[in-house]
Amino acid sequence: MEPRSVEELMDLLYACRGTLDVPVPGGAPVDAYDHALRTAALLRRRRPADKELQVAGLVRPVGRLLWPGEPATRADRTADAVRALLGERVAGLVRHRPRHGLRGEEEDLLALRTADEEARGACFDAGVLEDWRTVLELLAAHNSRLGAVE
């Protein structure tokens, strides 16, 4: 499944509420929706101009919902699902692999991993998903193949 609009993507993210994620073996389970909001909020604080990095932190739990029994391929499939709507860079960050020849992507992946790990134990108000609608719409408008964004 590939979300074709920001509305479909947000519906998928809302559906992640209550989905428990155990990010590391033996780790405490976290709510995937809350974790995504905290990860994106931490990235927004640290790298306010990098909207693609922030959104990559936000959309990662979609794969858990779409492919619950396939952890080995989930990052690849999630990246493929969001690529058309959010662009190649977001997909690459979700996939956890830097593209060859692009400087700074290793630093971006480190920032994403650090925020992801910190968000597991952090307890703060990260806002609500609706706060991200405008950012998602801007990225979708920029990256949409057809330019048709709902």
Side-chain angles (χ1 to χ4, degrees), residues 4-146:
R4 295 187 181 113
S5 68
V6 169
E7 196 62 41
E8 286 182 16
L9 178 59
M10 290 188 66
D11 287 345
L12 286 170
L13 288 164
Y14 277 122
C16 290
R17 284 185 288 194
T19 302
L20 293 181
D21 187 14
V22 182
V24 292
V30 296
D31 181 278
Y33 174 83
D34 291 334
H35 181 248
L37 287 174
R38 286 192 305 267
T39 301
L42 288 167
L43 290 164
R44 180 182 269 175
R45 289 176 188 169
R46 293 178 185 149
R47 308 263 295 268
D50 196 343
K51 303 304 182 202
E52 292 170 319
L53 180 63
Q54 297 163 23
V55 167
L58 181 68
V59 301
R60 290 171 65 199
V62 168
R64 177 164 295 286
L65 186 68
L66 294 175
W67 302 284
E70 303 177 34
T73 61
R74 189 176 299 135
D76 290 337
R77 293 182 78 180
T78 304
D80 292 341
V82 300
R83 177 179 288 106
L85 186 64
L86 300 175
E88 190 63 41
R89 181 163 179 250
V90 172
L93 291 166
V94 167
R95 180 171 275 126
H96 309 289
R97 291 190 199 127
R99 292 175 287 168
H100 295 291
L102 293 178
R103 293 181 180 202
E105 284 210 351
E106 291 83 8
E107 185 179 311
D108 295 343
L109 291 171
L110 179 61
L112 183 59
R113 185 178 330 120
T114 300
D116 179 71
E117 291 171 1
E118 189 176 326
R120 285 185 208 137
C123 193
F124 64 92
D125 182 6
V128 295
L129 182 58
E130 194 61 36
D131 296 340
W132 291 93
R133 181 180 294 276
T134 302
V135 175
L136 290 168
E137 288 172 346
L138 288 170
L139 282 179
H142 179 73
N143 292 296
S144 177
R145 286 181 279 213
L146 302 175

